[in-house]
PDB file of all heavy atoms in Angstrom:
ATOM      1  N   VAL M  28      99.186  88.675 107.010  1.00  0.00           N
ATOM      2  CA  VAL M  28      99.766  89.786 106.253  1.00  0.00           C
ATOM      3  C   VAL M  28      99.756  89.448 104.763  1.00  0.00           C
ATOM      4  O   VAL M  28     100.054  88.321 104.362  1.00  0.00           O
ATOM      5  CB  VAL M  28     101.212  90.074 106.717  1.00  0.00           C
ATOM      6  CG1 VAL M  28     101.867  91.140 105.839  1.00  0.00           C
ATOM      7  CG2 VAL M  28     101.234  90.511 108.171  1.00  0.00           C
ATOM      8  N   ASP M  29      99.402  90.429 103.946  1.00  0.00           N
ATOM      9  CA  ASP M  29      99.426  90.291 102.491  1.00  0.00           C
ATOM     10  C   ASP M  29     100.817  90.733 102.025  1.00  0.00           C
ATOM     11  O   ASP M  29     101.143  91.927 102.049  1.00  0.00           O
ATOM     12  CB  ASP M  29      98.336  91.180 101.889  1.00  0.00           C
ATOM     13  CG  ASP M  29      98.239  91.062 100.379  1.00  0.00           C
ATOM     14  OD1 ASP M  29      99.084  90.364  99.775  1.00  0.00           O
ATOM     15  OD2 ASP M  29      97.323  91.681  99.804  1.00  0.00           O
ATOM     16  N   VAL M  30     101.664  89.778 101.631  1.00  0.00           N
ATOM     17  CA  VAL M  30     103.038  90.073 101.225  1.00  0.00           C
ATOM     18  C   VAL M  30     103.101  90.121  99.705  1.00  0.00           C
ATOM     19  O   VAL M  30     102.859  89.119  99.033  1.00  0.00           O
ATOM     20  CB  VAL M  30     104.024  89.019 101.771  1.00  0.00           C
ATOM     21  CG1 VAL M  30     105.455  89.373 101.358  1.00  0.00           C
ATOM     22  CG2 VAL M  30     103.912  88.912 103.290  1.00  0.00           C
ATOM     23  N   ARG M  31     103.431  91.295  99.158  1.00  0.00           N
ATOM     24  CA  ARG M  31     103.504  91.464  97.709  1.00  0.00           C
ATOM     25  C   ARG M  31     104.940  91.831  97.324  1.00  0.00           C
ATOM     26  O   ARG M  31     105.401  92.939  97.587  1.00  0.00           O
ATOM     27  CB  ARG M  31     102.541  92.555  97.260  1.00  0.00           C
ATOM     28  CG  ARG M  31     101.099  92.271  97.679  1.00  0.00           C
ATOM     29  CD  ARG M  31     100.120  93.094  96.919  1.00  0.00           C
ATOM     30  NE  ARG M  31      98.760  92.840  97.372  1.00  0.00           N
ATOM     31  CZ  ARG M  31      97.676  93.163  96.666  1.00  0.00           C
ATOM     32  NH1 ARG M  31      97.802  93.739  95.486  1.00  0.00           N
ATOM     33  NH2 ARG M  31      96.472  92.915  97.151  1.00  0.00           N
ATOM     34  N   CYS M  32     105.620  90.872  96.704  1.00  0.00           N
ATOM     35  CA  CYS M  32     107.014  91.074  96.318  1.00  0.00           C
ATOM     36  C   CYS M  32     107.136  91.192  94.795  1.00  0.00           C
ATOM     37  O   CYS M  32     106.218  90.848  94.053  1.00  0.00           O
ATOM     38  CB  CYS M  32     107.878  89.925  96.828  1.00  0.00           C
ATOM     39  SG  CYS M  32     108.024  89.904  98.636  1.00  0.00           S
ATOM     40  N   GLY M  33     108.282  91.714  94.355  1.00  0.00           N
ATOM     41  CA  GLY M  33     108.500  91.906  92.929  1.00  0.00           C
ATOM     42  C   GLY M  33     107.710  93.061  92.357  1.00  0.00           C
ATOM     43  O   GLY M  33     107.494  93.135  91.147  1.00  0.00           O
ATOM     44  N   VAL M  34     107.294  93.975  93.208  1.00  0.00           N
ATOM     45  CA  VAL M  34     106.513  95.126  92.759  1.00  0.00           C
ATOM     46  C   VAL M  34     106.888  96.332  93.617  1.00  0.00           C
ATOM     47  O   VAL M  34     107.228  96.186  94.789  1.00  0.00           O
ATOM     48  CB  VAL M  34     104.996  94.833  92.843  1.00  0.00           C
ATOM     49  CG1 VAL M  34     104.546  94.641  94.280  1.00  0.00           C
ATOM     50  CG2 VAL M  34     104.182  95.926  92.165  1.00  0.00           C
ATOM     51  N   GLY M  35     106.849  97.513  92.993  1.00  0.00           N
ATOM     52  CA  GLY M  35     107.183  98.729  93.718  1.00  0.00           C
ATOM     53  C   GLY M  35     105.974  99.619  93.920  1.00  0.00           C
ATOM     54  O   GLY M  35     104.842  99.237  93.607  1.00  0.00           O
ATOM     55  N   VAL M  36     106.212 100.799  94.451  1.00  0.00           N
ATOM     56  CA  VAL M  36     105.152 101.777  94.685  1.00  0.00           C
ATOM     57  C   VAL M  36     105.310 102.918  93.688  1.00  0.00           C
ATOM     58  O   VAL M  36     106.389 103.507  93.567  1.00  0.00           O
ATOM     59  CB  VAL M  36     105.203 102.322  96.126  1.00  0.00           C
ATOM     60  CG1 VAL M  36     104.227 103.469  96.304  1.00  0.00           C
ATOM     61  CG2 VAL M  36     104.888 101.205  97.107  1.00  0.00           C
ATOM     62  N   ALA M  37     104.230 103.218  92.969  1.00  0.00           N
ATOM     63  CA  ALA M  37     104.259 104.303  91.987  1.00  0.00           C
ATOM     64  C   ALA M  37     103.906 105.638  92.611  1.00  0.00           C
ATOM     65  O   ALA M  37     104.526 106.661  92.316  1.00  0.00           O
ATOM     66  CB  ALA M  37     103.307 103.989  90.834  1.00  0.00           C
ATOM     67  N   SER M  38     102.906 105.628  93.518  1.00  0.00           N
ATOM     68  CA  SER M  38     102.465 106.888  94.107  1.00  0.00           C
ATOM     69  C   SER M  38     101.563 106.626  95.300  1.00  0.00           C
ATOM     70  O   SER M  38     101.114 105.492  95.531  1.00  0.00           O
ATOM     71  CB  SER M  38     101.698 107.730  93.075  1.00  0.00           C
ATOM     72  OG  SER M  38     100.508 107.047  92.663  1.00  0.00           O
ATOM     73  N   VAL M  39     101.334 107.667  96.067  1.00  0.00           N
ATOM     74  CA  VAL M  39     100.327 107.643  97.121  1.00  0.00           C
ATOM     75  C   VAL M  39      99.400 108.824  96.883  1.00  0.00           C
ATOM     76  O   VAL M  39      99.788 109.815  96.260  1.00  0.00           O
ATOM     77  CB  VAL M  39     100.945 107.732  98.529  1.00  0.00           C
ATOM     78  CG1 VAL M  39     101.810 106.529  98.830  1.00  0.00           C
ATOM     79  CG2 VAL M  39     101.727 109.021  98.711  1.00  0.00           C
ATOM     80  N   ALA M  40      98.179 108.700  97.384  1.00  0.00           N
ATOM     81  CA  ALA M  40      97.202 109.758  97.147  1.00  0.00           C
ATOM     82  C   ALA M  40      96.277 109.894  98.340  1.00  0.00           C
ATOM     83  O   ALA M  40      96.116 108.970  99.144  1.00  0.00           O
ATOM     84  CB  ALA M  40      96.402 109.465  95.877  1.00  0.00           C
ATOM     85  N   GLY M  41      95.650 111.050  98.435  1.00  0.00           N
ATOM     86  CA  GLY M  41      94.700 111.309  99.495  1.00  0.00           C
ATOM     87  C   GLY M  41      94.418 112.793  99.585  1.00  0.00           C
ATOM     88  O   GLY M  41      95.098 113.614  98.961  1.00  0.00           O
ATOM     89  N   THR M  42      93.422 113.144 100.360  1.00  0.00           N
ATOM     90  CA  THR M  42      93.075 114.542 100.584  1.00  0.00           C
ATOM     91  C   THR M  42      93.397 114.887 102.030  1.00  0.00           C
ATOM     92  O   THR M  42      92.649 114.532 102.944  1.00  0.00           O
ATOM     93  CB  THR M  42      91.576 114.793 100.294  1.00  0.00           C
ATOM     94  OG1 THR M  42      91.276 114.373  98.966  1.00  0.00           O
ATOM     95  CG2 THR M  42      91.245 116.274 100.464  1.00  0.00           C
ATOM     96  N   GLY M  43      94.548 115.511 102.226  1.00  0.00           N
ATOM     97  CA  GLY M  43      94.980 115.855 103.579  1.00  0.00           C
ATOM     98  C   GLY M  43      95.634 114.705 104.309  1.00  0.00           C
ATOM     99  O   GLY M  43      96.600 114.885 105.036  1.00  0.00           O
ATOM    100  N   LYS M  44      95.107 113.509 104.110  1.00  0.00           N
ATOM    101  CA  LYS M  44      95.684 112.315 104.729  1.00  0.00           C
ATOM    102  C   LYS M  44      95.775 111.213 103.687  1.00  0.00           C
ATOM    103  O   LYS M  44      95.028 111.214 102.698  1.00  0.00           O
ATOM    104  CB  LYS M  44      94.845 111.851 105.914  1.00  0.00           C
ATOM    105  CG  LYS M  44      93.419 111.475 105.549  1.00  0.00           C
ATOM    106  CD  LYS M  44      92.632 111.052 106.782  1.00  0.00           C
ATOM    107  CE  LYS M  44      91.209 110.655 106.398  1.00  0.00           C
ATOM    108  NZ  LYS M  44      90.425 110.226 107.585  1.00  0.00           N
ATOM    109  N   VAL M  45      96.673 110.282 103.905  1.00  0.00           N
ATOM    110  CA  VAL M  45      96.861 109.226 102.920  1.00  0.00           C
ATOM    111  C   VAL M  45      95.630 108.326 102.863  1.00  0.00           C
ATOM    112  O   VAL M  45      95.033 107.997 103.893  1.00  0.00           O
ATOM    113  CB  VAL M  45      98.132 108.408 103.241  1.00  0.00           C
ATOM    114  CG1 VAL M  45      97.981 107.599 104.517  1.00  0.00           C
ATOM    115  CG2 VAL M  45      98.503 107.500 102.074  1.00  0.00           C
ATOM    116  N   GLU M  46      95.214 107.971 101.656  1.00  0.00           N
ATOM    117  CA  GLU M  46      94.039 107.128 101.470  1.00  0.00           C
ATOM    118  C   GLU M  46      94.302 105.958 100.530  1.00  0.00           C
ATOM    119  O   GLU M  46      93.608 104.941 100.594  1.00  0.00           O
ATOM    120  CB  GLU M  46      92.876 107.974 100.909  1.00  0.00           C
ATOM    121  CG  GLU M  46      92.432 109.087 101.854  1.00  0.00           C
ATOM    122  CD  GLU M  46      91.480 110.062 101.181  1.00  0.00           C
ATOM    123  OE1 GLU M  46      91.196 109.884  99.969  1.00  0.00           O
ATOM    124  OE2 GLU M  46      91.035 111.010 101.852  1.00  0.00           O
ATOM    125  N   LYS M  47      95.308 106.096  99.672  1.00  0.00           N
ATOM    126  CA  LYS M  47      95.499 105.091  98.626  1.00  0.00           C
ATOM    127  C   LYS M  47      96.978 104.997  98.264  1.00  0.00           C
ATOM    128  O   LYS M  47      97.702 105.986  98.254  1.00  0.00           O
ATOM    129  CB  LYS M  47      94.681 105.467  97.389  1.00  0.00           C
ATOM    130  CG  LYS M  47      94.524 104.359  96.370  1.00  0.00           C
ATOM    131  CD  LYS M  47      93.627 104.799  95.230  1.00  0.00           C
ATOM    132  CE  LYS M  47      92.222 105.145  95.680  1.00  0.00           C
ATOM    133  NZ  LYS M  47      91.501 103.939  96.164  1.00  0.00           N
ATOM    134  N   VAL M  48      97.419 103.759  97.993  1.00  0.00           N
ATOM    135  CA  VAL M  48      98.762 103.505  97.485  1.00  0.00           C
ATOM    136  C   VAL M  48      98.617 102.822  96.129  1.00  0.00           C
ATOM    137  O   VAL M  48      97.913 101.811  96.008  1.00  0.00           O
ATOM    138  CB  VAL M  48      99.569 102.601  98.441  1.00  0.00           C
ATOM    139  CG1 VAL M  48     100.929 102.263  97.842  1.00  0.00           C
ATOM    140  CG2 VAL M  48      99.739 103.273  99.800  1.00  0.00           C
ATOM    141  N   VAL M  49      99.279 103.381  95.117  1.00  0.00           N
ATOM    142  CA  VAL M  49      99.232 102.811  93.766  1.00  0.00           C
ATOM    143  C   VAL M  49     100.562 102.109  93.506  1.00  0.00           C
ATOM    144  O   VAL M  49     101.630 102.714  93.612  1.00  0.00           O
ATOM    145  CB  VAL M  49      98.989 103.894  92.707  1.00  0.00           C
ATOM    146  CG1 VAL M  49      98.911 103.256  91.317  1.00  0.00           C
ATOM    147  CG2 VAL M  49      97.711 104.667  93.015  1.00  0.00           C
ATOM    148  N   LEU M  50     100.491 100.823  93.174  1.00  0.00           N
ATOM    149  CA  LEU M  50     101.699 100.039  92.923  1.00  0.00           C
ATOM    150  C   LEU M  50     102.160 100.192  91.478  1.00  0.00           C
ATOM    151  O   LEU M  50     101.416 100.669  90.616  1.00  0.00           O
ATOM    152  CB  LEU M  50     101.437  98.566  93.251  1.00  0.00           C
ATOM    153  CG  LEU M  50     100.940  98.263  94.669  1.00  0.00           C
ATOM    154  CD1 LEU M  50     100.869  96.758  94.887  1.00  0.00           C
ATOM    155  CD2 LEU M  50     101.814  98.924  95.718  1.00  0.00           C
ATOM    156  N   SER M  51     103.381  99.768  91.225  1.00  0.00           N
ATOM    157  CA  SER M  51     103.958  99.917  89.888  1.00  0.00           C
ATOM    158  C   SER M  51     103.246  99.066  88.840  1.00  0.00           C
ATOM    159  O   SER M  51     103.356  99.337  87.647  1.00  0.00           O
ATOM    160  CB  SER M  51     105.447  99.566  89.919  1.00  0.00           C
ATOM    161  OG  SER M  51     105.645  98.257  90.426  1.00  0.00           O
ATOM    162  N   ASP M  52     102.501  98.051  89.275  1.00  0.00           N
ATOM    163  CA  ASP M  52     101.728  97.234  88.328  1.00  0.00           C
ATOM    164  C   ASP M  52     100.311  97.741  88.146  1.00  0.00           C
ATOM    165  O   ASP M  52      99.486  97.097  87.500  1.00  0.00           O
ATOM    166  CB  ASP M  52     101.720  95.766  88.773  1.00  0.00           C
ATOM    167  CG  ASP M  52     101.015  95.555  90.111  1.00  0.00           C
ATOM    168  OD1 ASP M  52     100.479  96.529  90.690  1.00  0.00           O
ATOM    169  OD2 ASP M  52     101.016  94.408  90.604  1.00  0.00           O
ATOM    170  N   GLY M  53     100.009  98.918  88.727  1.00  0.00           N
ATOM    171  CA  GLY M  53      98.692  99.523  88.588  1.00  0.00           C
ATOM    172  C   GLY M  53      97.710  99.187  89.696  1.00  0.00           C
ATOM    173  O   GLY M  53      96.639  99.790  89.785  1.00  0.00           O
ATOM    174  N   THR M  54      98.044  98.228  90.546  1.00  0.00           N
ATOM    175  CA  THR M  54      97.161  97.860  91.653  1.00  0.00           C
ATOM    176  C   THR M  54      96.988  99.039  92.612  1.00  0.00           C
ATOM    177  O   THR M  54      97.957  99.742  92.935  1.00  0.00           O
ATOM    178  CB  THR M  54      97.726  96.662  92.436  1.00  0.00           C
ATOM    179  OG1 THR M  54      97.915  95.570  91.542  1.00  0.00           O
ATOM    180  CG2 THR M  54      96.792  96.259  93.569  1.00  0.00           C
ATOM    181  N   GLU M  55      95.757  99.245  93.090  1.00  0.00           N
ATOM    182  CA  GLU M  55      95.485 100.293  94.069  1.00  0.00           C
ATOM    183  C   GLU M  55      95.137  99.654  95.407  1.00  0.00           C
ATOM    184  O   GLU M  55      94.297  98.749  95.473  1.00  0.00           O
ATOM    185  CB  GLU M  55      94.345 101.190  93.598  1.00  0.00           C
ATOM    186  CG  GLU M  55      94.687 101.992  92.347  1.00  0.00           C
ATOM    187  CD  GLU M  55      93.610 103.017  91.992  1.00  0.00           C
ATOM    188  OE1 GLU M  55      92.571 103.064  92.702  1.00  0.00           O
ATOM    189  OE2 GLU M  55      93.800 103.760  91.011  1.00  0.00           O
ATOM    190  N   LEU M  56      95.800 100.111  96.457  1.00  0.00           N
ATOM    191  CA  LEU M  56      95.565  99.602  97.803  1.00  0.00           C
ATOM    192  C   LEU M  56      95.006 100.716  98.690  1.00  0.00           C
ATOM    193  O   LEU M  56      95.591 101.803  98.757  1.00  0.00           O
ATOM    194  CB  LEU M  56      96.874  99.090  98.413  1.00  0.00           C
ATOM    195  CG  LEU M  56      97.640  97.998  97.654  1.00  0.00           C
ATOM    196  CD1 LEU M  56      98.979  97.750  98.334  1.00  0.00           C
ATOM    197  CD2 LEU M  56      96.814  96.716  97.599  1.00  0.00           C
ATOM    198  N   ASP M  57      93.901 100.445  99.365  1.00  0.00           N
ATOM    199  CA  ASP M  57      93.403 101.401 100.346  1.00  0.00           C
ATOM    200  C   ASP M  57      94.330 101.396 101.557  1.00  0.00           C
ATOM    201  O   ASP M  57      94.830 100.332 101.976  1.00  0.00           O
ATOM    202  CB  ASP M  57      91.988 101.021 100.786  1.00  0.00           C
ATOM    203  CG  ASP M  57      90.971 101.190  99.669  1.00  0.00           C
ATOM    204  OD1 ASP M  57      91.208 102.035  98.787  1.00  0.00           O
ATOM    205  OD2 ASP M  57      89.955 100.459  99.670  1.00  0.00           O
ATOM    206  N   ALA M  58      94.573 102.564 102.139  1.00  0.00           N
ATOM    207  CA  ALA M  58      95.498 102.653 103.272  1.00  0.00           C
ATOM    208  C   ALA M  58      95.133 103.816 104.174  1.00  0.00           C
ATOM    209  O   ALA M  58      94.869 104.922 103.693  1.00  0.00           O
ATOM    210  CB  ALA M  58      96.926 102.814 102.784  1.00  0.00           C
ATOM    211  N   ASP M  59      95.093 103.550 105.474  1.00  0.00           N
ATOM    212  CA  ASP M  59      94.932 104.612 106.473  1.00  0.00           C
ATOM    213  C   ASP M  59      96.290 105.091 106.974  1.00  0.00           C
ATOM    214  O   ASP M  59      96.417 106.203 107.490  1.00  0.00           O
ATOM    215  CB  ASP M  59      94.128 104.094 107.676  1.00  0.00           C
ATOM    216  CG  ASP M  59      92.798 103.505 107.261  1.00  0.00           C
ATOM    217  OD1 ASP M  59      92.029 104.217 106.599  1.00  0.00           O
ATOM    218  OD2 ASP M  59      92.540 102.328 107.584  1.00  0.00           O
ATOM    219  N   VAL M  60      97.288 104.227 106.865  1.00  0.00           N
ATOM    220  CA  VAL M  60      98.633 104.576 107.290  1.00  0.00           C
ATOM    221  C   VAL M  60      99.628 103.888 106.357  1.00  0.00           C
ATOM    222  O   VAL M  60      99.402 102.757 105.919  1.00  0.00           O
ATOM    223  CB  VAL M  60      98.882 104.176 108.769  1.00  0.00           C
ATOM    224  CG1 VAL M  60      98.720 102.674 108.969  1.00  0.00           C
ATOM    225  CG2 VAL M  60     100.248 104.634 109.252  1.00  0.00           C
ATOM    226  N   VAL M  61     100.707 104.593 106.041  1.00  0.00           N
ATOM    227  CA  VAL M  61     101.777 104.067 105.195  1.00  0.00           C
ATOM    228  C   VAL M  61     103.084 104.241 105.953  1.00  0.00           C
ATOM    229  O   VAL M  61     103.396 105.341 106.426  1.00  0.00           O
ATOM    230  CB  VAL M  61     101.849 104.806 103.844  1.00  0.00           C
ATOM    231  CG1 VAL M  61     103.092 104.382 103.062  1.00  0.00           C
ATOM    232  CG2 VAL M  61     100.591 104.551 103.026  1.00  0.00           C
ATOM    233  N   VAL M  62     103.833 103.159 106.075  1.00  0.00           N
ATOM    234  CA  VAL M  62     105.134 103.224 106.745  1.00  0.00           C
ATOM    235  C   VAL M  62     106.211 102.971 105.708  1.00  0.00           C
ATOM    236  O   VAL M  62     106.202 101.948 105.024  1.00  0.00           O
ATOM    237  CB  VAL M  62     105.240 102.191 107.882  1.00  0.00           C
ATOM    238  CG1 VAL M  62     106.602 102.316 108.578  1.00  0.00           C
ATOM    239  CG2 VAL M  62     104.115 102.385 108.891  1.00  0.00           C
ATOM    240  N   VAL M  63     107.136 103.917 105.582  1.00  0.00           N
ATOM    241  CA  VAL M  63     108.234 103.805 104.638  1.00  0.00           C
ATOM    242  C   VAL M  63     109.439 103.204 105.356  1.00  0.00           C
ATOM    243  O   VAL M  63     109.981 103.802 106.286  1.00  0.00           O
ATOM    244  CB  VAL M  63     108.600 105.181 104.042  1.00  0.00           C
ATOM    245  CG1 VAL M  63     109.770 105.055 103.065  1.00  0.00           C
ATOM    246  CG2 VAL M  63     107.387 105.796 103.344  1.00  0.00           C
ATOM    247  N   GLY M  64     109.819 102.012 104.931  1.00  0.00           N
ATOM    248  CA  GLY M  64     110.962 101.333 105.532  1.00  0.00           C
ATOM    249  C   GLY M  64     111.917 100.866 104.451  1.00  0.00           C
ATOM    250  O   GLY M  64     112.111  99.666 104.251  1.00  0.00           O
ATOM    251  N   ILE M  65     112.511 101.811 103.743  1.00  0.00           N
ATOM    252  CA  ILE M  65     113.328 101.486 102.561  1.00  0.00           C
ATOM    253  C   ILE M  65     114.822 101.649 102.842  1.00  0.00           C
ATOM    254  O   ILE M  65     115.627 101.777 101.916  1.00  0.00           O
ATOM    255  CB  ILE M  65     112.919 102.357 101.363  1.00  0.00           C
ATOM    256  CG1 ILE M  65     113.045 103.853 101.697  1.00  0.00           C
ATOM    257  CG2 ILE M  65     111.502 102.015 100.927  1.00  0.00           C
ATOM    258  CD1 ILE M  65     112.852 104.753 100.490  1.00  0.00           C
TER     259      ILE M  65
END
């Protein structure tokens, strides 16, 4: 597992389905599924 701490999520994006998660530091992560556990 890639554990990234000390950073938040700025936004998610996609067309109809989620495709990308943008972190608060500008990093973009490809994603087929996003689970919100806050």
Side-chain angles (χ1 to χ4, degrees):
V28 174
D29 182 355
V30 181
R31 303 197 182 198
C32 292
V34 65
V36 172
S38 63
V39 296
T42 304
K44 61 181 181 179
V45 68
E46 297 169 358
K47 194 176 298 293
V48 176
V49 181
L50 304 186
S51 56
D52 64 3
T54 303
E55 294 187 358
L56 303 173
D57 292 333
D59 305 304
V60 60
V61 172
V62 181
V63 179
I65 57 171

